mmCIF file of all heavy atoms in Angstrom:
data_model
loop_
_atom_site.group_PDB
_atom_site.id
_atom_site.type_symbol
_atom_site.label_atom_id
_atom_site.label_comp_id
_atom_site.label_asym_id
_atom_site.label_seq_id
_atom_site.Cartn_x
_atom_site.Cartn_y
_atom_site.Cartn_z
ATOM 1 N N PRO A 1 26.723 -4.325 -33.063
ATOM 2 C CA PRO A 1 26.407 -5.730 -32.819
ATOM 3 C C PRO A 1 24.917 -5.980 -32.941
ATOM 4 O O PRO A 1 24.102 -5.073 -32.848
ATOM 5 C CB PRO A 1 26.876 -5.951 -31.368
ATOM 6 C CG PRO A 1 26.790 -4.587 -30.733
ATOM 7 C CD PRO A 1 27.130 -3.631 -31.826
ATOM 8 N N THR A 2 24.567 -7.253 -33.144
ATOM 9 C CA THR A 2 23.165 -7.644 -33.236
ATOM 10 C C THR A 2 22.473 -7.403 -31.905
ATOM 11 O O THR A 2 23.034 -7.676 -30.852
ATOM 12 C CB THR A 2 23.055 -9.136 -33.614
ATOM 13 O OG1 THR A 2 23.767 -9.327 -34.837
ATOM 14 C CG2 THR A 2 21.604 -9.549 -33.778
ATOM 15 N N ALA A 3 21.224 -6.899 -31.948
ATOM 16 C CA ALA A 3 20.479 -6.614 -30.710
ATOM 17 C C ALA A 3 20.280 -7.888 -29.921
ATOM 18 O O ALA A 3 20.026 -8.952 -30.470
ATOM 19 C CB ALA A 3 19.115 -5.999 -31.050
ATOM 20 N N ALA A 4 20.398 -7.765 -28.596
ATOM 21 C CA ALA A 4 20.259 -8.933 -27.726
ATOM 22 C C ALA A 4 18.823 -9.412 -27.710
ATOM 23 O O ALA A 4 17.887 -8.628 -27.647
ATOM 24 C CB ALA A 4 20.701 -8.574 -26.304
ATOM 25 N N ALA A 5 18.632 -10.719 -27.727
ATOM 26 C CA ALA A 5 17.298 -11.291 -27.750
ATOM 27 C C ALA A 5 16.459 -10.958 -26.523
ATOM 28 O O ALA A 5 15.265 -10.784 -26.625
ATOM 29 C CB ALA A 5 17.384 -12.811 -27.919
ATOM 30 N N PRO A 6 17.070 -10.839 -25.300
ATOM 31 C CA PRO A 6 16.229 -10.596 -24.131
ATOM 32 C C PRO A 6 15.641 -9.194 -24.045
ATOM 33 O O PRO A 6 14.934 -8.895 -23.096
ATOM 34 C CB PRO A 6 17.188 -10.820 -22.949
ATOM 35 C CG PRO A 6 18.329 -11.614 -23.503
ATOM 36 C CD PRO A 6 18.453 -11.158 -24.906
ATOM 37 N N ALA A 7 15.879 -8.293 -24.998
ATOM 38 C CA ALA A 7 15.408 -6.916 -24.890
ATOM 39 C C ALA A 7 13.912 -6.790 -24.623
ATOM 40 O O ALA A 7 13.496 -5.996 -23.792
ATOM 41 C CB ALA A 7 15.785 -6.143 -26.148
ATOM 42 N N PRO A 8 13.030 -7.546 -25.312
ATOM 43 C CA PRO A 8 11.610 -7.410 -25.019
ATOM 44 C C PRO A 8 11.284 -7.699 -23.557
ATOM 45 O O PRO A 8 10.423 -7.067 -22.974
ATOM 46 C CB PRO A 8 10.957 -8.433 -25.958
ATOM 47 C CG PRO A 8 11.951 -8.597 -27.066
ATOM 48 C CD PRO A 8 13.284 -8.471 -26.403
ATOM 49 N N VAL A 9 11.986 -8.671 -22.964
ATOM 50 C CA VAL A 9 11.755 -8.981 -21.557
ATOM 51 C C VAL A 9 12.110 -7.783 -20.701
ATOM 52 O O VAL A 9 11.392 -7.424 -19.771
ATOM 53 C CB VAL A 9 12.574 -10.222 -21.149
ATOM 54 C CG1 VAL A 9 12.411 -10.496 -19.665
ATOM 55 C CG2 VAL A 9 12.137 -11.432 -21.962
ATOM 56 N N GLN A 10 13.248 -7.114 -21.036
ATOM 57 C CA GLN A 10 13.672 -5.951 -20.270
ATOM 58 C C GLN A 10 12.621 -4.847 -20.346
ATOM 59 O O GLN A 10 12.341 -4.174 -19.359
ATOM 60 C CB GLN A 10 15.008 -5.442 -20.803
ATOM 61 C CG GLN A 10 15.559 -4.250 -20.014
ATOM 62 C CD GLN A 10 15.807 -4.589 -18.572
ATOM 63 O OE1 GLN A 10 16.339 -5.655 -18.282
ATOM 64 N NE2 GLN A 10 15.400 -3.734 -17.658
ATOM 65 N N VAL A 11 12.011 -4.663 -21.534
ATOM 66 C CA VAL A 11 10.959 -3.650 -21.681
ATOM 67 C C VAL A 11 9.804 -3.965 -20.761
ATOM 68 O O VAL A 11 9.264 -3.107 -20.075
ATOM 69 C CB VAL A 11 10.496 -3.577 -23.152
ATOM 70 C CG1 VAL A 11 9.260 -2.707 -23.260
ATOM 71 C CG2 VAL A 11 11.621 -3.026 -24.023
ATOM 72 N N ALA A 12 9.403 -5.243 -20.726
ATOM 73 C CA ALA A 12 8.285 -5.632 -19.875
ATOM 74 C C ALA A 12 8.600 -5.385 -18.413
ATOM 75 O O ALA A 12 7.764 -4.894 -17.649
ATOM 76 C CB ALA A 12 7.940 -7.108 -20.107
ATOM 77 N N VAL A 13 9.827 -5.718 -18.009
ATOM 78 C CA VAL A 13 10.221 -5.515 -16.613
ATOM 79 C C VAL A 13 10.212 -4.035 -16.281
ATOM 80 O O VAL A 13 9.749 -3.615 -15.218
ATOM 81 C CB VAL A 13 11.607 -6.132 -16.368
ATOM 82 C CG1 VAL A 13 12.136 -5.733 -15.003
ATOM 83 C CG2 VAL A 13 11.537 -7.656 -16.490
ATOM 84 N N THR A 14 10.716 -3.197 -17.212
ATOM 85 C CA THR A 14 10.741 -1.762 -16.971
ATOM 86 C C THR A 14 9.341 -1.212 -16.813
ATOM 87 O O THR A 14 9.061 -0.385 -15.944
ATOM 88 C CB THR A 14 11.462 -1.047 -18.121
ATOM 89 O OG1 THR A 14 12.776 -1.587 -18.220
ATOM 90 C CG2 THR A 14 11.545 0.451 -17.881
ATOM 91 N N ALA A 15 8.407 -1.653 -17.682
ATOM 92 C CA ALA A 15 7.030 -1.178 -17.594
ATOM 93 C C ALA A 15 6.401 -1.573 -16.276
ATOM 94 O O ALA A 15 5.678 -0.800 -15.650
ATOM 95 C CB ALA A 15 6.220 -1.747 -18.765
ATOM 96 N N ALA A 16 6.689 -2.795 -15.842
ATOM 97 C CA ALA A 16 6.143 -3.245 -14.565
ATOM 98 C C ALA A 16 6.724 -2.435 -13.418
ATOM 99 O O ALA A 16 6.022 -2.062 -12.480
ATOM 100 C CB ALA A 16 6.434 -4.735 -14.374
ATOM 101 N N SER A 17 8.038 -2.130 -13.512
ATOM 102 C CA SER A 17 8.672 -1.378 -12.445
ATOM 103 C C SER A 17 8.064 0.011 -12.293
ATOM 104 O O SER A 17 7.984 0.561 -11.203
ATOM 105 C CB SER A 17 10.169 -1.254 -12.721
ATOM 106 O OG SER A 17 10.771 -2.540 -12.765
ATOM 107 N N ALA A 18 7.594 0.582 -13.412
ATOM 108 C CA ALA A 18 7.003 1.909 -13.361
ATOM 109 C C ALA A 18 5.707 1.913 -12.574
ATOM 110 O O ALA A 18 5.243 2.948 -12.129
ATOM 111 C CB ALA A 18 6.749 2.418 -14.784
ATOM 112 N N ARG A 19 5.127 0.722 -12.413
ATOM 113 C CA ARG A 19 3.854 0.632 -11.703
ATOM 114 C C ARG A 19 4.032 0.065 -10.306
ATOM 115 O O ARG A 19 3.064 -0.266 -9.651
ATOM 116 C CB ARG A 19 2.884 -0.247 -12.495
ATOM 117 C CG ARG A 19 2.499 0.323 -13.841
ATOM 118 C CD ARG A 19 1.266 -0.381 -14.362
ATOM 119 N NE ARG A 19 1.476 -1.793 -14.567
ATOM 120 C CZ ARG A 19 1.846 -2.340 -15.712
ATOM 121 N NH1 ARG A 19 2.074 -1.585 -16.744
ATOM 122 N NH2 ARG A 19 2.007 -3.650 -15.821
ATOM 123 N N ASP A 20 5.280 -0.067 -9.840
ATOM 124 C CA ASP A 20 5.514 -0.682 -8.543
ATOM 125 C C ASP A 20 4.817 0.059 -7.412
ATOM 126 O O ASP A 20 4.487 -0.517 -6.393
ATOM 127 C CB ASP A 20 7.020 -0.777 -8.265
ATOM 128 C CG ASP A 20 7.658 -1.927 -9.029
ATOM 129 O OD1 ASP A 20 6.919 -2.763 -9.579
ATOM 130 O OD2 ASP A 20 8.894 -1.962 -9.080
ATOM 131 N N GLY A 21 4.596 1.384 -7.586
ATOM 132 C CA GLY A 21 3.920 2.152 -6.561
ATOM 133 C C GLY A 21 2.464 1.802 -6.425
ATOM 134 O O GLY A 21 1.820 2.176 -5.451
ATOM 135 N N GLY A 22 1.893 1.093 -7.390
ATOM 136 C CA GLY A 22 0.500 0.705 -7.351
ATOM 137 C C GLY A 22 -0.365 1.652 -8.151
ATOM 138 O O GLY A 22 -0.080 2.847 -8.294
ATOM 139 N N THR A 23 -1.453 1.113 -8.691
ATOM 140 C CA THR A 23 -2.339 1.905 -9.533
ATOM 141 C C THR A 23 -2.992 3.036 -8.758
ATOM 142 O O THR A 23 -3.110 4.158 -9.254
ATOM 143 C CB THR A 23 -3.417 0.991 -10.148
ATOM 144 O OG1 THR A 23 -2.783 -0.096 -10.837
ATOM 145 C CG2 THR A 23 -4.283 1.755 -11.132
ATOM 146 N N VAL A 24 -3.414 2.751 -7.530
ATOM 147 C CA VAL A 24 -4.069 3.798 -6.732
ATOM 148 C C VAL A 24 -3.118 4.965 -6.495
ATOM 149 O O VAL A 24 -3.498 6.140 -6.624
ATOM 150 C CB VAL A 24 -4.582 3.222 -5.397
ATOM 151 C CG1 VAL A 24 -5.115 4.344 -4.504
ATOM 152 C CG2 VAL A 24 -5.667 2.186 -5.640
ATOM 153 N N ASP A 25 -1.867 4.670 -6.159
ATOM 154 C CA ASP A 25 -0.887 5.737 -5.944
ATOM 155 C C ASP A 25 -0.668 6.544 -7.222
ATOM 156 O O ASP A 25 -0.544 7.770 -7.186
ATOM 157 C CB ASP A 25 0.436 5.158 -5.462
ATOM 158 C CG ASP A 25 0.331 4.547 -4.077
ATOM 159 O OD1 ASP A 25 -0.602 4.928 -3.340
ATOM 160 O OD2 ASP A 25 1.170 3.698 -3.735
ATOM 161 N N ALA A 26 -0.612 5.849 -8.361
ATOM 162 C CA ALA A 26 -0.415 6.543 -9.635
ATOM 163 C C ALA A 26 -1.604 7.449 -9.944
ATOM 164 O O ALA A 26 -1.435 8.577 -10.425
ATOM 165 C CB ALA A 26 -0.206 5.527 -10.751
ATOM 166 N N ILE A 27 -2.811 6.968 -9.691
ATOM 167 C CA ILE A 27 -4.010 7.778 -9.924
ATOM 168 C C ILE A 27 -3.987 9.025 -9.048
ATOM 169 O O ILE A 27 -4.290 10.134 -9.497
ATOM 170 C CB ILE A 27 -5.280 6.938 -9.632
ATOM 171 C CG1 ILE A 27 -5.433 5.814 -10.673
ATOM 172 C CG2 ILE A 27 -6.526 7.819 -9.617
ATOM 173 C CD1 ILE A 27 -6.490 4.784 -10.317
ATOM 174 N N ARG A 28 -3.599 8.855 -7.796
ATOM 175 C CA ARG A 28 -3.592 9.995 -6.868
ATOM 176 C C ARG A 28 -2.499 11.003 -7.223
ATOM 177 O O ARG A 28 -2.704 12.215 -7.104
ATOM 178 C CB ARG A 28 -3.444 9.486 -5.442
ATOM 179 C CG ARG A 28 -4.728 8.809 -4.945
ATOM 180 C CD ARG A 28 -4.581 8.172 -3.589
ATOM 181 N NE ARG A 28 -5.869 7.684 -3.110
ATOM 182 C CZ ARG A 28 -6.021 6.835 -2.099
ATOM 183 N NH1 ARG A 28 -4.946 6.384 -1.450
ATOM 184 N NH2 ARG A 28 -7.225 6.445 -1.734
ATOM 185 N N ARG A 29 -1.342 10.514 -7.675
ATOM 186 C CA ARG A 29 -0.304 11.450 -8.109
ATOM 187 C C ARG A 29 -0.775 12.247 -9.333
ATOM 188 O O ARG A 29 -0.511 13.440 -9.452
ATOM 189 C CB ARG A 29 0.993 10.702 -8.434
ATOM 190 C CG ARG A 29 1.751 10.198 -7.226
ATOM 191 C CD ARG A 29 3.158 9.773 -7.623
ATOM 192 N NE ARG A 29 3.159 8.705 -8.617
ATOM 193 C CZ ARG A 29 3.161 7.404 -8.324
ATOM 194 N NH1 ARG A 29 3.140 7.010 -7.056
ATOM 195 N NH2 ARG A 29 3.177 6.506 -9.290
ATOM 196 N N ARG A 30 -1.444 11.569 -10.230
ATOM 197 C CA ARG A 30 -1.922 12.202 -11.461
ATOM 198 C C ARG A 30 -3.108 13.121 -11.179
ATOM 199 O O ARG A 30 -3.310 14.130 -11.858
ATOM 200 C CB ARG A 30 -2.324 11.100 -12.440
ATOM 201 C CG ARG A 30 -2.643 11.558 -13.849
ATOM 202 C CD ARG A 30 -3.251 10.425 -14.662
ATOM 203 N NE ARG A 30 -2.519 9.180 -14.535
ATOM 204 C CZ ARG A 30 -3.078 8.001 -14.254
ATOM 205 N NH1 ARG A 30 -4.389 7.904 -14.050
ATOM 206 N NH2 ARG A 30 -2.341 6.916 -14.155
ATOM 207 N N GLY A 31 -3.933 12.734 -10.218
ATOM 208 C CA GLY A 31 -5.116 13.529 -9.884
ATOM 209 C C GLY A 31 -6.335 13.203 -10.702
ATOM 210 O O GLY A 31 -7.385 13.834 -10.545
ATOM 211 N N THR A 32 -6.235 12.197 -11.578
ATOM 212 C CA THR A 32 -7.379 11.781 -12.388
ATOM 213 C C THR A 32 -7.363 10.265 -12.569
ATOM 214 O O THR A 32 -6.296 9.638 -12.554
ATOM 215 C CB THR A 32 -7.364 12.426 -13.792
ATOM 216 O OG1 THR A 32 -6.131 12.110 -14.448
ATOM 217 C CG2 THR A 32 -7.553 13.926 -13.717
ATOM 218 N N LEU A 33 -8.535 9.718 -12.750
ATOM 219 C CA LEU A 33 -8.708 8.306 -13.101
ATOM 220 C C LEU A 33 -8.869 8.208 -14.601
ATOM 221 O O LEU A 33 -9.725 8.894 -15.192
ATOM 222 C CB LEU A 33 -9.949 7.747 -12.399
ATOM 223 C CG LEU A 33 -10.425 6.357 -12.855
ATOM 224 C CD1 LEU A 33 -9.486 5.280 -12.345
ATOM 225 C CD2 LEU A 33 -11.852 6.099 -12.380
ATOM 226 N N ARG A 34 -8.058 7.383 -15.243
ATOM 227 C CA ARG A 34 -8.200 7.147 -16.680
ATOM 228 C C ARG A 34 -9.099 5.938 -16.881
ATOM 229 O O ARG A 34 -8.698 4.801 -16.606
ATOM 230 C CB ARG A 34 -6.837 6.913 -17.319
ATOM 231 C CG ARG A 34 -5.933 8.141 -17.312
ATOM 232 C CD ARG A 34 -4.541 7.785 -17.798
ATOM 233 N NE ARG A 34 -3.658 8.944 -17.836
ATOM 234 C CZ ARG A 34 -2.339 8.871 -17.905
ATOM 235 N NH1 ARG A 34 -1.749 7.680 -17.961
ATOM 236 N NH2 ARG A 34 -1.606 9.965 -17.929
ATOM 237 N N CYS A 35 -10.286 6.191 -17.371
ATOM 238 C CA CYS A 35 -11.311 5.150 -17.445
ATOM 239 C C CYS A 35 -11.617 4.827 -18.902
ATOM 240 O O CYS A 35 -12.083 5.692 -19.660
ATOM 241 C CB CYS A 35 -12.575 5.645 -16.735
ATOM 242 S SG CYS A 35 -13.655 4.328 -16.147
ATOM 243 N N GLY A 36 -11.343 3.589 -19.310
ATOM 244 C CA GLY A 36 -11.596 3.169 -20.681
ATOM 245 C C GLY A 36 -13.047 2.769 -20.860
ATOM 246 O O GLY A 36 -13.484 1.737 -20.346
ATOM 247 N N VAL A 37 -13.806 3.596 -21.568
ATOM 248 C CA VAL A 37 -15.254 3.370 -21.701
ATOM 249 C C VAL A 37 -15.631 2.712 -23.023
ATOM 250 O O VAL A 37 -16.808 2.568 -23.326
ATOM 251 C CB VAL A 37 -16.028 4.694 -21.541
ATOM 252 C CG1 VAL A 37 -15.904 5.218 -20.131
ATOM 253 C CG2 VAL A 37 -15.562 5.738 -22.561
ATOM 254 N N GLY A 38 -14.639 2.301 -23.797
ATOM 255 C CA GLY A 38 -14.949 1.722 -25.097
ATOM 256 C C GLY A 38 -15.242 2.815 -26.104
ATOM 257 O O GLY A 38 -14.936 3.991 -25.902
ATOM 258 N N ALA A 39 -15.855 2.426 -27.206
ATOM 259 C CA ALA A 39 -16.260 3.412 -28.202
ATOM 260 C C ALA A 39 -17.426 4.228 -27.655
ATOM 261 O O ALA A 39 -18.199 3.756 -26.821
ATOM 262 C CB ALA A 39 -16.662 2.703 -29.495
ATOM 263 N N VAL A 40 -17.523 5.470 -28.100
ATOM 264 C CA VAL A 40 -18.673 6.294 -27.716
ATOM 265 C C VAL A 40 -19.932 5.588 -28.188
ATOM 266 O O VAL A 40 -20.077 5.231 -29.356
ATOM 267 C CB VAL A 40 -18.565 7.702 -28.325
ATOM 268 C CG1 VAL A 40 -19.832 8.500 -28.052
ATOM 269 C CG2 VAL A 40 -17.350 8.420 -27.760
ATOM 270 N N SER A 41 -20.847 5.341 -27.262
ATOM 271 C CA SER A 41 -22.029 4.549 -27.585
ATOM 272 C C SER A 41 -23.138 4.900 -26.612
ATOM 273 O O SER A 41 -23.043 5.884 -25.864
ATOM 274 C CB SER A 41 -21.697 3.051 -27.484
ATOM 275 O OG SER A 41 -21.469 2.698 -26.121
#
């Protein structure tokens, strides 16, 4: 069957759900801060 139109919304909801624990909790579980510094400059 043809793919359902709401699929992109479901992806967004899933991504948000993965962060429900909060960024600080995710950083602490990982043990590192991912810091976007732009291009090397």
Side-chain angles (χ1 to χ4, degrees):
T2 303
V9 176
Q10 182 61 43
V11 171
V13 170
T14 302
S17 299
R19 296 196 298 267
D20 282 348
T23 305
V24 173
D25 293 338
I27 292 169
R28 288 174 173 165
R29 287 193 300 270
R30 189 190 313 130
T32 56
L33 169 73
R34 293 173 179 163
C35 204
V37 293
V40 174
S41 69

